[in-house]
Structure formats: structure tokens, C-alpha cells
Amino acid sequence: IGSEEKLDIIIRNAKQSDYASLLPLFRQVHDYHVNVRPDIYKENSTPVKREFFENQLTDSKQHIFVSLA
């Protein structure tokens, strides 16, 4: 980005409707863990179930953010 260009990025809390967009990222992170620590992590086509994701959204100790550009 040049000195005259501006990139607006919005960061917000995730919401239930973000699940489908985030699932590929969850898979990528899980696949990394499977490759690095196969003794702990196992192959899983859906590493983050929708119910778990939605529970995290309502848990005050958990935070999931998304960025929009």
C-alpha cells in the first residue's frame, strides 16, 4: 500500500452467520495441528461444530473476531 492509499479494515465480534465463512479457517488450523501433533489431533472434517461455535459466541470468556476489508 502506497503512502497515499488507505485500507479500511473493520474488526467486529463474530456472529452466528459467520460460521460458514470461518469453517475453512477452522479446518486449516486443525489440519496444521494434525500434521504437527498427530499424537494429539486426529483428522476431522468438521473440527468446530456449529453448536460449539455458537456456544463460544455467548461465553463471556471466549472471543471470536472477524475482520472485514
Side-chain angles (χ1 to χ4, degrees):
I1 298 176
S3 61
E4 296 179 22
E5 294 180 47
K6 182 179 176 185
L7 180 62
D8 291 323
I9 298 175
I10 297 169
I11 298 176
R12 63 166 173 77
N13 287 308
K15 50 190 176 183
Q16 289 180 357
S17 61
D18 292 317
Y19 178 77
S21 298
L22 292 172
L23 193 53
L25 176 61
F26 296 151
R27 282 190 186 118
Q28 183 179 5
V29 170
H30 183 74
D31 288 347
Y32 171 79
H33 286 119
V34 169
N35 287 328
V36 173
R37 291 298 308 262
D39 57 317
I40 297 174
Y41 296 93
K42 303 299 176 204
E43 297 277 339
N44 187 337
S45 62
T46 309
V48 177
K49 304 283 187 203
R50 181 179 288 275
E51 181 180 0
F52 180 79
F53 173 75
E54 291 175 356
N55 287 336
Q56 285 191 311
L57 296 179
T58 59
D59 183 344
S60 64
K61 295 179 183 177
Q62 302 291 325
H63 303 282
I64 301 174
F65 300 101
V66 295
S67 66
L68 311 169

